[in-house]
Amino acid sequence: MSELTRFSAPAGVAPAAQYSHVVLGTGRLVAVSGQLPLDEDGKPVGEGDPAAQARQVFENLRRCLAAAGASFDDVVKLTYFVTDMAHMPAIREARTAHIPDNHLPAASALQVAALVRPEFLMEIEAWAVVAR
């Protein structure tokens, strides 16, 4: 695990409840492509169900991070692409199952017109830093 320092609210920046404004890490960068709600056979999970999709996406992120020798402890940045901002509570609930609220990474959330397939409600990418 790399050495990570999180700054939830640097001086002069309004506090954020759902992410850290700044995360500083020393080590090797791991970039995980946006993960979709697909099971290990490539079948969609949770059509029309943001909570089921979020759980699957975070499980896919966990597996990708593990393949790189990383874990959610090493994540410095998450980017959420959602077709409706109303899906964010389900995403936050799934995230909390993997990342404690006192170690939140930096984050950005974007509402998009569409994802690669119409049944997908979200795609989430991760950046992590692991020890060299």
Side-chain angles (χ1 to χ4, degrees):
M1 179 168 39
S2 63
E3 188 71 28
L4 298 180
T5 303
R6 289 169 172 79
F7 301 98
S8 292
V13 178
Q18 297 300 328
Y19 59 91
S20 294
H21 282 290
V22 179
V23 180
L24 179 65
T26 303
R28 184 172 45 93
L29 180 65
V30 176
V32 179
S33 291
Q35 294 299 298
L36 296 163
L38 295 169
D39 68 15
E40 61 190 45
D41 296 320
K43 293 183 176 83
V45 171
E47 190 166 344
D49 182 347
Q53 288 197 13
R55 286 190 301 271
Q56 183 65 49
V57 168
F58 273 92
E59 177 58 19
N60 292 347
L61 287 168
R62 185 195 66 73
R63 290 175 178 166
C64 290
L65 289 163
S71 73
F72 282 106
D73 289 341
D74 304 305
V75 172
V76 296
K77 175 80 162 79
L78 291 170
T79 305
Y80 308 101
F81 302 92
V82 294
T83 57
D84 188 330
M85 283 297 186
H87 304 321
M88 290 305 298
I91 290 170
R92 284 192 284 275
E93 185 175 328
R95 183 200 63 207
T96 298
H98 296 277
I99 303 172
D101 286 343
N102 64 339
H103 289 298
L104 294 175
S108 297
L110 299 93
Q111 183 169 325
V112 296
L115 293 166
V116 68
R117 289 176 35 187
E119 63 268 32
F120 298 147
L121 304 176
M122 65 195 64
E123 179 174 334
I124 303 172
E125 69 179 22
W127 294 83
V129 177
V130 295
R132 293 188 186 267

PDB file of all heavy atoms in Angstrom, residues 89-121:
ATOM      1  N   PRO A  89     -26.976   8.495  -5.111  1.00  0.00           N
ATOM      2  CA  PRO A  89     -27.120   7.858  -3.794  1.00  0.00           C
ATOM      3  C   PRO A  89     -26.820   6.353  -3.829  1.00  0.00           C
ATOM      4  O   PRO A  89     -26.177   5.826  -2.913  1.00  0.00           O
ATOM      5  CB  PRO A  89     -28.577   8.140  -3.415  1.00  0.00           C
ATOM      6  CG  PRO A  89     -28.887   9.422  -4.130  1.00  0.00           C
ATOM      7  CD  PRO A  89     -28.161   9.304  -5.449  1.00  0.00           C
ATOM      8  N   ALA A  90     -27.245   5.659  -4.867  1.00  0.00           N
ATOM      9  CA  ALA A  90     -26.948   4.224  -4.992  1.00  0.00           C
ATOM     10  C   ALA A  90     -25.449   4.005  -5.153  1.00  0.00           C
ATOM     11  O   ALA A  90     -24.885   3.055  -4.595  1.00  0.00           O
ATOM     12  CB  ALA A  90     -27.712   3.625  -6.171  1.00  0.00           C
ATOM     13  N   ILE A  91     -24.800   4.876  -5.893  1.00  0.00           N
ATOM     14  CA  ILE A  91     -23.346   4.774  -6.080  1.00  0.00           C
ATOM     15  C   ILE A  91     -22.634   5.022  -4.760  1.00  0.00           C
ATOM     16  O   ILE A  91     -21.714   4.291  -4.396  1.00  0.00           O
ATOM     17  CB  ILE A  91     -22.877   5.750  -7.175  1.00  0.00           C
ATOM     18  CG1 ILE A  91     -23.368   5.268  -8.541  1.00  0.00           C
ATOM     19  CG2 ILE A  91     -21.358   5.917  -7.150  1.00  0.00           C
ATOM     20  CD1 ILE A  91     -23.168   6.260  -9.672  1.00  0.00           C
ATOM     21  N   ARG A  92     -23.058   6.054  -4.023  1.00  0.00           N
ATOM     22  CA  ARG A  92     -22.427   6.333  -2.733  1.00  0.00           C
ATOM     23  C   ARG A  92     -22.595   5.157  -1.771  1.00  0.00           C
ATOM     24  O   ARG A  92     -21.673   4.812  -1.029  1.00  0.00           O
ATOM     25  CB  ARG A  92     -22.980   7.626  -2.132  1.00  0.00           C
ATOM     26  CG  ARG A  92     -22.421   8.870  -2.802  1.00  0.00           C
ATOM     27  CD  ARG A  92     -22.748  10.122  -2.020  1.00  0.00           C
ATOM     28  NE  ARG A  92     -24.117  10.563  -2.162  1.00  0.00           N
ATOM     29  CZ  ARG A  92     -24.562  11.326  -3.159  1.00  0.00           C
ATOM     30  NH1 ARG A  92     -23.762  11.711  -4.117  1.00  0.00           N
ATOM     31  NH2 ARG A  92     -25.826  11.694  -3.187  1.00  0.00           N
ATOM     32  N   GLU A  93     -23.755   4.518  -1.784  1.00  0.00           N
ATOM     33  CA  GLU A  93     -23.977   3.359  -0.914  1.00  0.00           C
ATOM     34  C   GLU A  93     -23.031   2.206  -1.286  1.00  0.00           C
ATOM     35  O   GLU A  93     -22.412   1.590  -0.419  1.00  0.00           O
ATOM     36  CB  GLU A  93     -25.429   2.894  -1.000  1.00  0.00           C
ATOM     37  CG  GLU A  93     -25.749   1.782  -0.036  1.00  0.00           C
ATOM     38  CD  GLU A  93     -27.217   1.409  -0.048  1.00  0.00           C
ATOM     39  OE1 GLU A  93     -28.067   2.284  -0.273  1.00  0.00           O
ATOM     40  OE2 GLU A  93     -27.501   0.220   0.176  1.00  0.00           O
ATOM     41  N   ALA A  94     -22.883   1.937  -2.568  1.00  0.00           N
ATOM     42  CA  ALA A  94     -21.962   0.880  -3.010  1.00  0.00           C
ATOM     43  C   ALA A  94     -20.522   1.258  -2.689  1.00  0.00           C
ATOM     44  O   ALA A  94     -19.730   0.409  -2.261  1.00  0.00           O
ATOM     45  CB  ALA A  94     -22.136   0.630  -4.500  1.00  0.00           C
ATOM     46  N   ARG A  95     -20.178   2.525  -2.868  1.00  0.00           N
ATOM     47  CA  ARG A  95     -18.825   2.979  -2.559  1.00  0.00           C
ATOM     48  C   ARG A  95     -18.510   2.791  -1.088  1.00  0.00           C
ATOM     49  O   ARG A  95     -17.434   2.330  -0.714  1.00  0.00           O
ATOM     50  CB  ARG A  95     -18.669   4.449  -2.950  1.00  0.00           C
ATOM     51  CG  ARG A  95     -17.250   4.987  -2.720  1.00  0.00           C
ATOM     52  CD  ARG A  95     -17.207   6.493  -2.645  1.00  0.00           C
ATOM     53  NE  ARG A  95     -17.986   6.951  -1.493  1.00  0.00           N
ATOM     54  CZ  ARG A  95     -18.571   8.132  -1.436  1.00  0.00           C
ATOM     55  NH1 ARG A  95     -18.501   8.982  -2.434  1.00  0.00           N
ATOM     56  NH2 ARG A  95     -19.248   8.489  -0.354  1.00  0.00           N
ATOM     57  N   THR A  96     -19.464   3.122  -0.221  1.00  0.00           N
ATOM     58  CA  THR A  96     -19.257   3.016   1.223  1.00  0.00           C
ATOM     59  C   THR A  96     -18.984   1.575   1.651  1.00  0.00           C
ATOM     60  O   THR A  96     -18.289   1.351   2.646  1.00  0.00           O
ATOM     61  CB  THR A  96     -20.467   3.604   1.977  1.00  0.00           C
ATOM     62  OG1 THR A  96     -20.571   4.989   1.633  1.00  0.00           O
ATOM     63  CG2 THR A  96     -20.331   3.474   3.478  1.00  0.00           C
ATOM     64  N   ALA A  97     -19.464   0.608   0.906  1.00  0.00           N
ATOM     65  CA  ALA A  97     -19.180  -0.798   1.215  1.00  0.00           C
ATOM     66  C   ALA A  97     -17.708  -1.141   0.979  1.00  0.00           C
ATOM     67  O   ALA A  97     -17.215  -2.140   1.491  1.00  0.00           O
ATOM     68  CB  ALA A  97     -20.069  -1.707   0.368  1.00  0.00           C
ATOM     69  N   HIS A  98     -16.995  -0.291   0.217  1.00  0.00           N
ATOM     70  CA  HIS A  98     -15.594  -0.552  -0.129  1.00  0.00           C
ATOM     71  C   HIS A  98     -14.615   0.502   0.401  1.00  0.00           C
ATOM     72  O   HIS A  98     -13.445   0.205   0.600  1.00  0.00           O
ATOM     73  CB  HIS A  98     -15.431  -0.631  -1.652  1.00  0.00           C
ATOM     74  CG  HIS A  98     -16.183  -1.765  -2.259  1.00  0.00           C
ATOM     75  ND1 HIS A  98     -15.690  -3.045  -2.295  1.00  0.00           N
ATOM     76  CD2 HIS A  98     -17.397  -1.815  -2.843  1.00  0.00           C
ATOM     77  CE1 HIS A  98     -16.562  -3.838  -2.886  1.00  0.00           C
ATOM     78  NE2 HIS A  98     -17.605  -3.124  -3.227  1.00  0.00           N
ATOM     79  N   ILE A  99     -15.106   1.729   0.581  1.00  0.00           N
ATOM     80  CA  ILE A  99     -14.239   2.842   0.969  1.00  0.00           C
ATOM     81  C   ILE A  99     -14.867   3.564   2.150  1.00  0.00           C
ATOM     82  O   ILE A  99     -15.971   4.100   2.029  1.00  0.00           O
ATOM     83  CB  ILE A  99     -14.045   3.837  -0.203  1.00  0.00           C
ATOM     84  CG1 ILE A  99     -13.480   3.132  -1.431  1.00  0.00           C
ATOM     85  CG2 ILE A  99     -13.143   4.993   0.219  1.00  0.00           C
ATOM     86  CD1 ILE A  99     -13.446   4.005  -2.682  1.00  0.00           C
ATOM     87  N   PRO A 100     -14.180   3.594   3.300  1.00  0.00           N
ATOM     88  CA  PRO A 100     -14.763   4.298   4.454  1.00  0.00           C
ATOM     89  C   PRO A 100     -14.846   5.806   4.210  1.00  0.00           C
ATOM     90  O   PRO A 100     -14.041   6.384   3.478  1.00  0.00           O
ATOM     91  CB  PRO A 100     -13.791   3.972   5.592  1.00  0.00           C
ATOM     92  CG  PRO A 100     -12.549   3.470   4.958  1.00  0.00           C
ATOM     93  CD  PRO A 100     -12.888   2.996   3.581  1.00  0.00           C
ATOM     94  N   ASP A 101     -15.848   6.409   4.819  1.00  0.00           N
ATOM     95  CA  ASP A 101     -16.084   7.844   4.620  1.00  0.00           C
ATOM     96  C   ASP A 101     -14.921   8.720   5.061  1.00  0.00           C
ATOM     97  O   ASP A 101     -14.801   9.854   4.605  1.00  0.00           O
ATOM     98  CB  ASP A 101     -17.357   8.275   5.351  1.00  0.00           C
ATOM     99  CG  ASP A 101     -18.618   7.803   4.641  1.00  0.00           C
ATOM    100  OD1 ASP A 101     -18.543   7.424   3.449  1.00  0.00           O
ATOM    101  OD2 ASP A 101     -19.688   7.805   5.285  1.00  0.00           O
ATOM    102  N   ASN A 102     -14.044   8.219   5.930  1.00  0.00           N
ATOM    103  CA  ASN A 102     -12.909   9.037   6.359  1.00  0.00           C
ATOM    104  C   ASN A 102     -11.683   8.856   5.460  1.00  0.00           C
ATOM    105  O   ASN A 102     -10.627   9.404   5.753  1.00  0.00           O
ATOM    106  CB  ASN A 102     -12.557   8.743   7.823  1.00  0.00           C
ATOM    107  CG  ASN A 102     -12.096   7.317   8.037  1.00  0.00           C
ATOM    108  OD1 ASN A 102     -12.382   6.431   7.242  1.00  0.00           O
ATOM    109  ND2 ASN A 102     -11.394   7.091   9.136  1.00  0.00           N
ATOM    110  N   HIS A 103     -11.814   8.102   4.363  1.00  0.00           N
ATOM    111  CA  HIS A 103     -10.724   7.920   3.397  1.00  0.00           C
ATOM    112  C   HIS A 103     -11.208   8.106   1.967  1.00  0.00           C
ATOM    113  O   HIS A 103     -10.775   7.388   1.057  1.00  0.00           O
ATOM    114  CB  HIS A 103     -10.103   6.526   3.547  1.00  0.00           C
ATOM    115  CG  HIS A 103      -9.311   6.356   4.795  1.00  0.00           C
ATOM    116  ND1 HIS A 103      -8.189   7.113   5.072  1.00  0.00           N
ATOM    117  CD2 HIS A 103      -9.472   5.540   5.845  1.00  0.00           C
ATOM    118  CE1 HIS A 103      -7.706   6.756   6.247  1.00  0.00           C
ATOM    119  NE2 HIS A 103      -8.469   5.817   6.736  1.00  0.00           N
ATOM    120  N   LEU A 104     -12.110   9.050   1.763  1.00  0.00           N
ATOM    121  CA  LEU A 104     -12.677   9.235   0.434  1.00  0.00           C
ATOM    122  C   LEU A 104     -11.639   9.777  -0.534  1.00  0.00           C
ATOM    123  O   LEU A 104     -10.862  10.667  -0.197  1.00  0.00           O
ATOM    124  CB  LEU A 104     -13.874  10.182   0.502  1.00  0.00           C
ATOM    125  CG  LEU A 104     -15.077   9.647   1.283  1.00  0.00           C
ATOM    126  CD1 LEU A 104     -16.146  10.720   1.387  1.00  0.00           C
ATOM    127  CD2 LEU A 104     -15.622   8.392   0.620  1.00  0.00           C
ATOM    128  N   PRO A 105     -11.623   9.253  -1.769  1.00  0.00           N
ATOM    129  CA  PRO A 105     -10.708   9.783  -2.784  1.00  0.00           C
ATOM    130  C   PRO A 105     -11.244  11.093  -3.361  1.00  0.00           C
ATOM    131  O   PRO A 105     -12.389  11.480  -3.104  1.00  0.00           O
ATOM    132  CB  PRO A 105     -10.709   8.684  -3.842  1.00  0.00           C
ATOM    133  CG  PRO A 105     -12.040   8.029  -3.709  1.00  0.00           C
ATOM    134  CD  PRO A 105     -12.399   8.115  -2.246  1.00  0.00           C
ATOM    135  N   ALA A 106     -10.419  11.730  -4.156  1.00  0.00           N
ATOM    136  CA  ALA A 106     -10.909  12.843  -4.967  1.00  0.00           C
ATOM    137  C   ALA A 106     -11.936  12.251  -5.933  1.00  0.00           C
ATOM    138  O   ALA A 106     -11.878  11.062  -6.258  1.00  0.00           O
ATOM    139  CB  ALA A 106      -9.755  13.487  -5.728  1.00  0.00           C
ATOM    140  N   ALA A 107     -12.883  13.069  -6.395  1.00  0.00           N
ATOM    141  CA  ALA A 107     -13.933  12.522  -7.258  1.00  0.00           C
ATOM    142  C   ALA A 107     -14.539  13.594  -8.139  1.00  0.00           C
ATOM    143  O   ALA A 107     -14.539  14.774  -7.792  1.00  0.00           O
ATOM    144  CB  ALA A 107     -15.019  11.877  -6.410  1.00  0.00           C
ATOM    145  N   SER A 108     -15.045  13.141  -9.272  1.00  0.00           N
ATOM    146  CA  SER A 108     -15.836  13.977 -10.173  1.00  0.00           C
ATOM    147  C   SER A 108     -17.024  13.160 -10.633  1.00  0.00           C
ATOM    148  O   SER A 108     -16.900  11.950 -10.847  1.00  0.00           O
ATOM    149  CB  SER A 108     -15.026  14.402 -11.401  1.00  0.00           C
ATOM    150  OG  SER A 108     -13.926  15.191 -11.030  1.00  0.00           O
ATOM    151  N   ALA A 109     -18.178  13.804 -10.776  1.00  0.00           N
ATOM    152  CA  ALA A 109     -19.384  13.142 -11.273  1.00  0.00           C
ATOM    153  C   ALA A 109     -19.909  13.919 -12.464  1.00  0.00           C
ATOM    154  O   ALA A 109     -20.044  15.140 -12.391  1.00  0.00           O
ATOM    155  CB  ALA A 109     -20.440  13.062 -10.181  1.00  0.00           C
ATOM    156  N   LEU A 110     -20.167  13.197 -13.542  1.00  0.00           N
ATOM    157  CA  LEU A 110     -20.664  13.816 -14.765  1.00  0.00           C
ATOM    158  C   LEU A 110     -21.924  13.117 -15.229  1.00  0.00           C
ATOM    159  O   LEU A 110     -21.957  11.883 -15.285  1.00  0.00           O
ATOM    160  CB  LEU A 110     -19.628  13.702 -15.885  1.00  0.00           C
ATOM    161  CG  LEU A 110     -18.291  14.374 -15.636  1.00  0.00           C
ATOM    162  CD1 LEU A 110     -17.331  13.388 -15.039  1.00  0.00           C
ATOM    163  CD2 LEU A 110     -17.770  14.919 -16.921  1.00  0.00           C
ATOM    164  N   GLN A 111     -22.952  13.893 -15.548  1.00  0.00           N
ATOM    165  CA  GLN A 111     -24.132  13.315 -16.173  1.00  0.00           C
ATOM    166  C   GLN A 111     -23.897  13.328 -17.668  1.00  0.00           C
ATOM    167  O   GLN A 111     -23.540  14.353 -18.242  1.00  0.00           O
ATOM    168  CB  GLN A 111     -25.394  14.095 -15.815  1.00  0.00           C
ATOM    169  CG  GLN A 111     -26.644  13.455 -16.392  1.00  0.00           C
ATOM    170  CD  GLN A 111     -27.915  14.061 -15.837  1.00  0.00           C
ATOM    171  OE1 GLN A 111     -27.974  14.438 -14.672  1.00  0.00           O
ATOM    172  NE2 GLN A 111     -28.930  14.132 -16.679  1.00  0.00           N
ATOM    173  N   VAL A 112     -24.109  12.178 -18.299  1.00  0.00           N
ATOM    174  CA  VAL A 112     -23.880  12.029 -19.729  1.00  0.00           C
ATOM    175  C   VAL A 112     -25.192  11.687 -20.424  1.00  0.00           C
ATOM    176  O   VAL A 112     -26.101  11.130 -19.805  1.00  0.00           O
ATOM    177  CB  VAL A 112     -22.810  10.944 -20.016  1.00  0.00           C
ATOM    178  CG1 VAL A 112     -21.454  11.360 -19.442  1.00  0.00           C
ATOM    179  CG2 VAL A 112     -23.221   9.595 -19.472  1.00  0.00           C
ATOM    180  N   ALA A 113     -25.273  11.995 -21.712  1.00  0.00           N
ATOM    181  CA  ALA A 113     -26.490  11.704 -22.471  1.00  0.00           C
ATOM    182  C   ALA A 113     -26.709  10.208 -22.632  1.00  0.00           C
ATOM    183  O   ALA A 113     -27.845   9.731 -22.639  1.00  0.00           O
ATOM    184  CB  ALA A 113     -26.422  12.373 -23.841  1.00  0.00           C
ATOM    185  N   ALA A 114     -25.626   9.464 -22.766  1.00  0.00           N
ATOM    186  CA  ALA A 114     -25.739   8.021 -22.954  1.00  0.00           C
ATOM    187  C   ALA A 114     -24.392   7.374 -22.676  1.00  0.00           C
ATOM    188  O   ALA A 114     -23.351   8.018 -22.724  1.00  0.00           O
ATOM    189  CB  ALA A 114     -26.178   7.708 -24.380  1.00  0.00           C
ATOM    190  N   LEU A 115     -24.438   6.065 -22.393  1.00  0.00           N
ATOM    191  CA  LEU A 115     -23.230   5.256 -22.286  1.00  0.00           C
ATOM    192  C   LEU A 115     -23.216   4.304 -23.481  1.00  0.00           C
ATOM    193  O   LEU A 115     -24.071   4.400 -24.357  1.00  0.00           O
ATOM    194  CB  LEU A 115     -23.196   4.525 -20.947  1.00  0.00           C
ATOM    195  CG  LEU A 115     -23.040   5.462 -19.746  1.00  0.00           C
ATOM    196  CD1 LEU A 115     -23.361   4.751 -18.442  1.00  0.00           C
ATOM    197  CD2 LEU A 115     -21.629   6.043 -19.710  1.00  0.00           C
ATOM    198  N   VAL A 116     -22.267   3.400 -23.524  1.00  0.00           N
ATOM    199  CA  VAL A 116     -22.059   2.565 -24.705  1.00  0.00           C
ATOM    200  C   VAL A 116     -23.275   1.688 -25.039  1.00  0.00           C
ATOM    201  O   VAL A 116     -23.479   1.362 -26.199  1.00  0.00           O
ATOM    202  CB  VAL A 116     -20.760   1.739 -24.562  1.00  0.00           C
ATOM    203  CG1 VAL A 116     -20.887   0.689 -23.476  1.00  0.00           C
ATOM    204  CG2 VAL A 116     -20.336   1.140 -25.875  1.00  0.00           C
ATOM    205  N   ARG A 117     -24.068   1.322 -24.040  1.00  0.00           N
ATOM    206  CA  ARG A 117     -25.301   0.559 -24.270  1.00  0.00           C
ATOM    207  C   ARG A 117     -26.421   1.178 -23.455  1.00  0.00           C
ATOM    208  O   ARG A 117     -26.197   1.652 -22.334  1.00  0.00           O
ATOM    209  CB  ARG A 117     -25.098  -0.911 -23.894  1.00  0.00           C
ATOM    210  CG  ARG A 117     -24.196  -1.602 -24.902  1.00  0.00           C
ATOM    211  CD  ARG A 117     -23.814  -3.024 -24.633  1.00  0.00           C
ATOM    212  NE  ARG A 117     -24.771  -3.904 -24.001  1.00  0.00           N
ATOM    213  CZ  ARG A 117     -24.445  -5.135 -23.608  1.00  0.00           C
ATOM    214  NH1 ARG A 117     -23.217  -5.613 -23.801  1.00  0.00           N
ATOM    215  NH2 ARG A 117     -25.345  -5.899 -23.036  1.00  0.00           N
ATOM    216  N   PRO A 118     -27.631   1.198 -23.994  1.00  0.00           N
ATOM    217  CA  PRO A 118     -28.721   1.917 -23.321  1.00  0.00           C
ATOM    218  C   PRO A 118     -29.098   1.377 -21.946  1.00  0.00           C
ATOM    219  O   PRO A 118     -29.623   2.118 -21.125  1.00  0.00           O
ATOM    220  CB  PRO A 118     -29.903   1.789 -24.299  1.00  0.00           C
ATOM    221  CG  PRO A 118     -29.545   0.698 -25.234  1.00  0.00           C
ATOM    222  CD  PRO A 118     -28.046   0.602 -25.262  1.00  0.00           C
ATOM    223  N   GLU A 119     -28.828   0.100 -21.647  1.00  0.00           N
ATOM    224  CA  GLU A 119     -29.199  -0.440 -20.343  1.00  0.00           C
ATOM    225  C   GLU A 119     -28.228  -0.033 -19.231  1.00  0.00           C
ATOM    226  O   GLU A 119     -28.519  -0.201 -18.048  1.00  0.00           O
ATOM    227  CB  GLU A 119     -29.336  -1.974 -20.385  1.00  0.00           C
ATOM    228  CG  GLU A 119     -28.063  -2.718 -20.706  1.00  0.00           C
ATOM    229  CD  GLU A 119     -27.869  -3.013 -22.193  1.00  0.00           C
ATOM    230  OE1 GLU A 119     -28.315  -2.224 -23.043  1.00  0.00           O
ATOM    231  OE2 GLU A 119     -27.253  -4.043 -22.486  1.00  0.00           O
ATOM    232  N   PHE A 120     -27.084   0.537 -19.593  1.00  0.00           N
ATOM    233  CA  PHE A 120     -26.117   0.951 -18.585  1.00  0.00           C
ATOM    234  C   PHE A 120     -26.502   2.318 -18.024  1.00  0.00           C
ATOM    235  O   PHE A 120     -26.697   3.272 -18.762  1.00  0.00           O
ATOM    236  CB  PHE A 120     -24.705   1.022 -19.169  1.00  0.00           C
ATOM    237  CG  PHE A 120     -24.176  -0.296 -19.670  1.00  0.00           C
ATOM    238  CD1 PHE A 120     -23.328  -0.334 -20.753  1.00  0.00           C
ATOM    239  CD2 PHE A 120     -24.519  -1.492 -19.064  1.00  0.00           C
ATOM    240  CE1 PHE A 120     -22.823  -1.534 -21.228  1.00  0.00           C
ATOM    241  CE2 PHE A 120     -24.033  -2.703 -19.534  1.00  0.00           C
ATOM    242  CZ  PHE A 120     -23.179  -2.721 -20.618  1.00  0.00           C
ATOM    243  N   LEU A 121     -26.575   2.399 -16.702  1.00  0.00           N
ATOM    244  CA  LEU A 121     -26.916   3.644 -16.022  1.00  0.00           C
ATOM    245  C   LEU A 121     -25.682   4.385 -15.542  1.00  0.00           C
ATOM    246  O   LEU A 121     -25.765   5.567 -15.216  1.00  0.00           O
ATOM    247  CB  LEU A 121     -27.820   3.345 -14.817  1.00  0.00           C
ATOM    248  CG  LEU A 121     -29.109   2.574 -15.112  1.00  0.00           C
ATOM    249  CD1 LEU A 121     -29.849   2.268 -13.811  1.00  0.00           C
ATOM    250  CD2 LEU A 121     -29.977   3.355 -16.088  1.00  0.00           C
TER     251      LEU A 121
END
